[in-house]
Amino acid sequence: MSRLLMLFAAVAFATPCLLHAQEKAADEKSESAESSPQEKLKADPNDAAAWNAYLREIFLGVDSLIVEEKFDEADQRIKTAEEFVSPLEPTEQSAKTLKSRFALYQRTYGTKIEVARTPLDELQQKLEANLDDATAFSSVLSKYTMQISPIARTEPEKAEALINDAKEYFASLKEKNPDHKELASRIAGTDRTWASYARSIETAKKHLALIGQDSPSIAAASQAWANGDPLSDSDLQGKVVMLDFWAVWCGPCIATFPHLREWKAKYGNEGFEIVGITSYYNYKWDEKANKAVRAGKDDPKVTPEEEQTMLKHFAELHSLTHPFAVQDEDRTLSKHFAVSGIPTAAVLDRKGKIRLIRVGSGDANARDIEQMIQQLLRE
């Protein structure tokens, strides 16, 4: 597979933070709610956190437009971003690297848009006319992954059927060309692609099985609260509740904050409540840098009180007014809701039954969540 197409397949599918990779990008993800990444880059082209936030914002948006088959709009979004990025002149190496990454993503997503525009059978015909064309092979594979990725977390059985279709196609291609060793090698490499979806599909099946079930007690599964008074089960009774599983180190979680602020403002007086579900991650508040930082090897362990204070400051920085529950050490809530990546949002109806679960940030998830909130408030 070509390097560019491998990259966009990885970027497109890796929206949520995986829980086993939590600290890796922590220091990159502390952008303020007071100004946009674009405004920050105008003020300081060396702001690495702003570069990361800007790249995420632009290309997650492009991904959403591709899923909606709005290819001209996707092209225009990239063009507008290029016009903004081109005159920026960072002097620090980290920011220079991130600007170079924009150029790589630009080429990657340009290719992705072109593949998305082209019917699968046309891509297959091109490959079959020249089995030595690695780009043609990558385009067919990428076309399949573009069909699978948007539904792997919401329609797992349909995603599995598409994977089986892809496997059957490549198997038949190999059978028709038994002496083509390079083709056989490329086809063998697709096993890694299909395996990469297995975890998400498995989790999606667990989520679907939870729909209609009672949520466990939020209060009983929480060891502490921050950014507000502790909530009891009776405080949530009769309300539509959104549980937002998140962490301070998670960039995609931060990307959902504008929606959380909007929903709290729009529906907070209609019987709607958001509860942020997080855990202790050994983070404290750096007053000088005005951000959450993880304790280093030589630092003493952060106390629960210090971490709760950090959460309060973090909420103030991002203008979040909903309460945060720090779940128990067994992470009972995460286990019950099969949380393997964050952000994960679970929406409960007025009877405390689970009605929707979505994983990751992005416009499609935001639309699904808000539509469910509106529906449940009407019920």
Side-chain angles (χ1 to χ4, degrees):
M1 193 190 309
S2 72
R3 182 167 175 252
L4 286 179
L5 289 171
M6 286 179 69
L7 174 63
F8 87 60
V11 170
F13 195 61
T15 302
C17 288
L18 296 180
L19 294 183
H20 66 269
Q22 57 201 30
E23 291 91 357
K24 196 170 184 179
D27 293 334
E28 301 174 354
K29 313 297 186 182
S30 188
E31 57 265 33
S32 167
E34 297 175 359
S35 59
S36 70
Q38 188 167 349
E39 290 169 335
K40 289 184 173 183
L41 286 176
K42 282 182 181 179
D44 181 11
N46 288 316
D47 188 335
W51 272 108
N52 276 290
Y54 183 73
L55 293 175
R56 185 169 61 249
E57 176 184 290
I58 293 300
F59 291 106
L60 283 177
V62 171
D63 258 328
S64 295
L65 291 169
I66 292 173
V67 170
E68 295 170 9
E69 299 186 356
K70 297 178 179 178
F71 305 127
D72 290 341
E73 291 182 37
D75 275 329
Q76 185 58 49
R77 185 177 179 89
I78 294 174
K79 182 179 179 181
T80 301
E82 181 187 16
E83 292 170 352
F84 169 72
V85 167
S86 292
L88 297 178
E89 297 183 357
T91 57
E92 295 180 5
Q93 187 56 50
S94 60
K96 288 181 179 180
T97 299
L98 288 166
K99 182 177 180 179
S100 298
R101 188 177 298 172
F102 171 84
L104 176 60
Y105 285 177
Q106 181 183 10
R107 295 192 300 274
T108 298
Y109 277 86
T111 302
K112 183 172 184 178
I113 292 168
E114 185 59 32
V115 170
R117 276 192 170 111
T118 308
L120 175 61
D121 60 353
E122 186 176 325
L123 294 172
Q124 289 172 334
Q125 289 170 13
K126 185 176 180 180
L127 169 60
E128 291 161 21
N130 184 3
L131 296 175
D132 295 319
D133 188 342
T135 299
F137 183 91
S138 294
S139 295
V140 173
L141 177 60
S142 299
K143 186 72 174 183
Y144 279 118
T145 62
M146 277 189 276
Q147 295 172 339
I148 296 163
S149 292
I151 62 172
R153 294 187 175 97
T154 55
E155 301 177 73
E157 292 184 358
K158 187 175 179 180
E160 281 187 324
L162 285 170
I163 290 172
N164 288 333
D165 288 345
K167 287 180 176 180
E168 288 175 7
Y169 171 74
F170 287 121
S172 68
L173 200 60
K174 180 180 178 180
E175 185 177 348
K176 293 175 185 176
N177 302 276
D179 298 327
H180 201 300
K181 294 183 180 180
E182 185 61 31
L183 175 65
S185 176
R186 291 183 189 132
I187 292 172
T190 65
D191 289 343
R192 294 191 297 272
T193 302
W194 314 134
S196 70
Y197 290 104
R199 183 178 181 183
S200 292
I201 288 174
E202 180 184 358
T203 299
K205 289 180 178 179
K206 292 178 181 178
H207 288 167
L208 288 176
L210 287 169
I211 301 304
Q213 293 190 17
D214 291 330
S215 168
S217 167
I218 309 305
S222 302
Q223 60 176 310
W225 292 78
N227 200 43
D229 295 330
L231 295 178
S232 65
D233 291 336
S234 60
D235 291 326
L236 298 175
Q237 189 173 6
K239 291 185 177 182
V240 174
V241 179
M242 174 185 162
L243 304 180
D244 174 43
F245 291 86
W246 73 289
V248 295
W249 43 261
C250 170
C253 299
I254 293 172
T256 68
F257 288 175
H259 294 300
L260 301 186
R261 291 192 293 266
E262 177 188 354
W263 297 335
K264 179 71 173 177
K266 285 173 66 174
Y267 308 117
N269 293 327
E270 298 182 29
F272 172 66
E273 183 64 81
I274 300 174
V275 180
I277 309 295
T278 190
S279 299
Y280 288 135
Y281 293 107
N282 210 33
Y283 274 74
K284 59 186 176 182
W285 190 252
D286 186 326
E287 292 283 356
K288 186 176 180 180
N290 197 37
K291 67 177 183 179
V293 295
R294 190 165 187 264
K297 293 180 180 179
D298 299 328
D299 294 338
K301 182 173 175 60
V302 177
T303 67
E305 292 76 19
E306 288 175 320
E307 195 137 4
Q308 291 163 33
T309 299
M310 176 277 296
L311 289 169
K312 182 176 183 298
H313 287 306
F314 187 88
E316 291 171 349
L317 177 67
H318 293 280
S319 301
L320 300 175
T321 59
H322 62 272
F324 303 151
V326 181
Q327 59 181 322
D328 57 30
E329 292 183 3
D330 289 336
R331 301 194 179 184
T332 300
L333 294 172
S334 288
K335 290 177 181 177
H336 183 87
F337 286 93
V339 176
S340 61
I342 52 177
T344 290
V347 184
L348 316 179
D349 65 19
R350 295 184 189 274
K351 297 180 179 179
K353 294 188 180 296
I354 302 164
R355 299 290 292 274
L356 181 77
I357 301 176
R358 287 291 181 267
V359 182
S361 57
D363 292 339
N365 278 352
R367 283 194 298 271
D368 288 349
I369 293 167
E370 184 166 21
Q371 287 172 4
M372 180 57 70
I373 292 169
Q374 292 171 341
Q375 175 186 327
L376 296 181
L377 288 174
R378 290 193 298 266
E379 288 183 359

